Amino acid sequence: MIYNLAIHIYAGAVRMAAPFNKKVSLMQKGEKEAFAILERNIIKGEKYLWFHAASLGEFEQGRPLIEEIKRNYPQYKVLQTFFSPSGYEVRKNYKGADITCYLPLDTPHNARRFIELAQPYMVFFIKYEFWTNYLNELHRRHIPTYSVSSIFREDQIFFKWYGRKYSKVLHTFTHLFVQNRISVELLKKIGVNNTTIVGDTRFDRVIEIYKRAKELPLVEKFKSDAFTLIAGSSWEPDENIFIPYFNSHPELKLIIAPHVIDESHLKSITEKITRKVVRYTQADEKTIAEADCLIIDCFGLLSSIYRYGEIAYIGGGFGVGIHNVLEAAVYGMPVVFGPNNRKFREALGLLACEGGFEIHDKEDFKELADRLITNKEFLKETGKSAYTYVRENAGALKKIMEKISEKLQ
């Protein structure tokens, strides 16, 4: 089978790369340890709900469902698996899961062994996770398996003539909870009809995060009464756009939460700033009150920091693709990002309702920022549009729970 051959080639590439790449090494080590983790921790007689997410973003989409089930059906245990270290290493101590581990590579042997050890009662694969051998084995054992917050596009392999054989994997799902009508129509064309449009669970998740946002006294003192731009998950191309604007606008304060936090990147940012700057981990009440720019040099604060801003700039739109725009939009502020946003439904939604704005260069950003800062009505209306967009698109969690509740009794 071509798929299994591709998996074995990939496994060989991973073995070769592991000694030279920390991320790949962590992944390989974690996959090897997964079976031992299950053998040590699976409690016979308990019912496990297995959630699989490729990485951190997908985990956050599945998290509302995990926590809703735990609240309403505490008798179930949760097994959480990851494919990428960027998910596992950040959330390996997540308290909502009873067991957390990597998912071993999708070979027939691994799939049989993993499922035999885990004996899951139900399984939830988040968004783009379509592992043929695992899904076939689950289907063979008649274990209810769901795709959550999945979204399909015409250019995906399932809908090409050469991908029809692989598309059979979609028939193994008990049900697919998809984000939009286009996904339903595409799936119908290949004979997959067990679908429900629920939207994206990330909307529910950001509302939950919003409700639990931390108060950050140092950030509050930094902001004071100043108009504040918050740059979340920024990369160098993003910083080259908003930092020059900040340098020339003394009425503006800036909070930067870079996507990559290492000394070389932090130094690069600091060197570009001509005004007073302080790092969060080095700040005290005196230095933070005197600073014009605050650099967040630690993880876990960004979703709460947005509450202190008037405008959000979300990074990644000039490279890897924009990061989470919803975490900012939920606070009722306009969201700005670069042009690489076409594969992000939530960004397109914000653009459509004028709660989000696409910029291509410094001139675009200057024109937009000037208008947002000087026109209070424009700022208010765009922020309201962003807020309303998030609220109106929430509710995926409720729809999913209604569908699966019969099996959770």
Side-chain angles (χ1 to χ4, degrees):
M1 183 180 178
I2 294 174
Y3 177 84
N4 287 331
L5 177 61
I7 290 290
H8 283 292
I9 292 171
Y10 175 80
V14 166
R15 286 192 295 271
M16 290 174 65
F20 311 100
N21 185 299
K22 183 180 179 182
K23 184 175 179 179
V24 175
S25 177
L26 284 170
M27 184 173 70
Q28 186 186 45
K29 182 173 180 286
E31 288 179 3
K32 288 180 179 178
E33 292 174 346
F35 295 118
I37 290 173
L38 293 184
E39 287 170 347
R40 287 197 306 269
N41 294 285
I42 289 288
I43 301 171
K44 289 186 178 180
E46 296 285 0
K47 289 183 177 179
Y48 285 87
L49 307 181
W50 171 22
F51 290 80
H52 176 66
S55 191
L56 187 59
E58 290 80 8
F59 166 77
E60 291 298 334
Q61 284 181 285
R63 183 170 175 171
L65 184 56
I66 294 173
E67 294 178 358
E68 185 70 10
I69 290 174
K70 291 286 265 187
R71 273 193 293 269
N72 292 286
Y73 304 95
Q75 67 269 32
Y76 291 99
K77 302 285 187 183
V78 169
L79 165 63
Q80 175 68 57
T81 60
F82 291 96
F83 183 73
S84 167
S86 57
Y88 177 79
E89 296 302 326
V90 176
R91 291 289 180 249
K92 60 187 175 184
N93 296 316
Y94 169 56
K95 292 181 180 178
D98 298 278
I99 303 172
T100 304
C101 64
Y102 281 88
L103 183 65
L105 209 56
D106 186 31
T107 66
H109 171 75
N110 284 349
R112 287 192 297 271
R113 186 180 176 195
F114 189 93
I115 294 167
E116 188 62 40
L117 285 170
Q119 292 289 311
Y121 177 71
M122 292 170 71
V123 183
F124 302 88
F125 281 56
I126 312 302
K127 200 173 183 179
Y128 291 134
E129 293 302 276
F130 308 111
W131 297 107
T132 296
N133 291 309
Y134 281 104
L135 287 167
N136 283 339
E137 187 66 19
L138 290 165
H139 186 67
R140 188 181 69 80
R141 292 170 182 252
H142 306 289
I143 297 171
T145 303
Y146 301 89
S147 178
V148 176
S149 284
S150 48
I151 188 166
F152 295 89
R153 301 184 307 276
E154 198 168 2
D155 61 355
Q156 287 172 306
I157 189 172
F158 309 114
F159 312 109
K160 303 295 185 181
W161 65 265
Y162 52 82
R164 288 305 167 94
K165 192 168 185 180
Y166 180 49
S167 71
K168 291 179 180 178
V169 71
L170 300 177
H171 292 264
T172 62
F173 284 105
T174 306
H175 205 84
L176 293 96
F177 297 107
V178 300
Q179 292 190 29
N180 56 22
R181 170 62 56 185
I182 293 171
S183 296
V184 169
E185 296 303 324
L186 286 169
L187 290 169
K188 273 185 182 178
K189 289 180 181 179
I190 58 171
V192 178
N193 299 301
N194 50 332
T195 60
T196 301
I197 302 170
V198 298
D200 190 343
T201 50
R202 281 181 299 174
F203 289 91
D204 300 280
R205 176 62 185 153
V206 296
I207 290 172
E208 189 65 27
I209 291 171
Y210 167 84
K211 291 176 181 177
R212 298 181 185 179
K214 305 170 187 174
E215 290 187 9
L216 302 168
L218 279 178
V219 180
E220 188 171 354
K221 191 170 186 65
F222 166 80
K223 176 183 172 53
S224 187
D225 297 321
F227 195 103
T228 304
L229 167 67
I230 298 177
S233 301
S234 65
W235 296 77
E236 186 176 6
D238 304 299
E239 292 144 13
N240 290 338
I241 286 177
F242 63 74
I243 288 177
Y245 184 88
F246 162 74
N247 284 338
S248 61
H249 286 76
E251 76 281 13
L252 181 68
K253 283 197 172 186
L254 173 64
I255 300 175
I256 308 175
H259 185 73
V260 176
I261 298 176
D262 59 34
E263 280 305 311
S264 62
H265 190 194
L266 296 175
K267 184 180 178 184
S268 171
I269 293 171
T270 305
E271 288 174 348
K272 292 172 185 174
I273 298 170
T274 59
R275 298 168 62 189
K276 288 186 178 179
V277 59
V278 65
R279 293 191 194 183
Y280 184 80
T281 60
Q282 298 172 357
D284 55 33
E285 289 200 358
K286 183 175 185 298
T287 56
I288 210 157
E290 294 172 348
D292 300 308
C293 175
L294 173 61
I295 298 176
I296 308 301
D297 55 348
C298 55
F299 292 108
L301 299 181
L302 181 56
S303 60
S304 295
I305 284 171
Y306 283 124
R307 70 190 294 177
Y308 299 104
E310 278 73 37
I311 307 172
Y313 181 107
I314 309 301
F318 290 92
V320 296
I322 57 168
H323 297 288
N324 194 331
V325 295
L326 298 178
E327 283 187 343
V330 72
Y331 286 97
M333 67 171 74
V335 181
V336 185
F337 42 79
N340 189 359
N341 58 64
R342 292 296 177 262
K343 292 184 178 181
F344 300 86
R345 172 178 171 261
E346 63 279 12
L348 298 179
L350 285 168
L351 289 172
C353 73
E354 296 189 343
F357 299 89
E358 176 181 303
I359 54 106
H360 296 85
D361 50 37
K362 292 179 185 178
E363 288 69 30
D364 278 358
F365 181 74
K366 181 183 185 306
E367 183 180 345
L368 176 61
D370 283 348
R371 187 179 178 196
L372 287 167
I373 291 172
T374 59
N375 187 333
K376 290 184 179 179
E377 189 61 28
F378 180 60
L379 178 71
K380 180 181 176 182
E381 288 303 314
T382 54
K384 183 180 178 182
S385 293
Y387 175 89
T388 302
Y389 173 72
V390 175
R391 292 309 191 281
E392 287 182 348
N393 281 276
L397 182 59
K398 182 181 178 182
K399 293 173 185 175
I400 295 170
M401 289 300 297
E402 286 172 354
K403 191 77 177 177
I404 67 173
S405 59
E406 291 181 5
K407 294 186 183 296
L408 287 169
Q409 299 299 334

